[in-house]
Amino acid sequence: MEADLAFRGVDLLDLWRGQVTPRKLDVMIRGLPPDSATRIAMNGKEPLWSRTDYILADLIDSNNGVAWLVANQDVPQWKRSQFPDPYPRPGSAPKKREITAADLQAFRKRTTKR
């Protein structure tokens, strides 16, 4: 916490010197960016996401969905590739998918020149 506040030009000893009130210190701590060490420690070792992070993850999902749609527009439904997984967000467990031999053969057919 002291390093995060020092980075913003605040000395933690100012609280005991009477130059900063406990309320103002609380406001400054809660106003630290989501990727600061203090906020990560307050959140249980996982960095908080800002609104911008969520917007970027949504844009990545949107871009991947459009790319999938364009790549599969002329492909019969039974032959289409799997829709891309969403970008991982805090608190969501990543989906694990096992790759089978059939998946590898289908990939080889799609990517090799005929």
Side-chain angles (χ1 to χ4, degrees), residues 1-2 5-26 28:
M1 179 178 2
E2 187 174 357
L5 292 173
F7 183 72
R8 291 182 160 246
V10 177
D11 187 2
L12 190 57
L13 290 176
D14 288 346
L15 177 66
W16 284 273
R17 292 180 188 136
Q19 296 171 345
V20 175
T21 65
R23 186 201 65 80
K24 185 172 181 179
L25 183 64
D26 181 57
M28 286 189 286

Side-chain angles (χ1 to χ4, degrees), residues 2-114:
E2 187 174 357
D4 285 335
L5 292 173
F7 183 72
R8 291 182 160 246
V10 177
D11 187 2
L12 190 57
L13 290 176
D14 288 346
L15 177 66
W16 284 273
R17 292 180 188 136
Q19 296 171 345
V20 175
T21 65
R23 186 201 65 80
K24 185 172 181 179
L25 183 64
D26 181 57
V27 169
M28 286 189 286
I29 290 170
R30 293 180 190 277
L32 288 170
D35 59 346
S36 68
T38 304
R39 292 289 299 273
I40 291 171
M42 288 169 60
N43 194 40
K45 307 296 184 212
E46 184 177 318
L48 296 172
W49 274 30
S50 66
R51 182 176 294 155
T52 305
D53 295 330
Y54 281 105
I55 291 170
L56 287 173
D58 289 342
L59 285 172
I60 290 169
D61 289 343
S62 175
N63 186 49
N64 289 343
V66 169
W68 177 87
L69 187 64
V70 169
N72 288 287
Q73 67 183 357
D74 294 329
V75 178
Q77 186 169 3
W78 61 271
K79 207 173 181 184
R80 290 182 182 169
S81 62
Q82 182 183 10
F83 192 79
D85 292 333
Y87 191 82
R89 282 147 172 91
S92 64
K95 280 178 69 176
K96 292 185 179 180
R97 181 176 174 267
E98 293 189 26
I99 298 175
T100 63
D103 292 333
L104 293 174
Q105 289 173 348
F107 176 76
R108 181 180 291 164
K109 286 180 184 177
R110 284 194 318 266
T111 57
T112 56
K113 293 184 180 183
R114 295 177 186 168

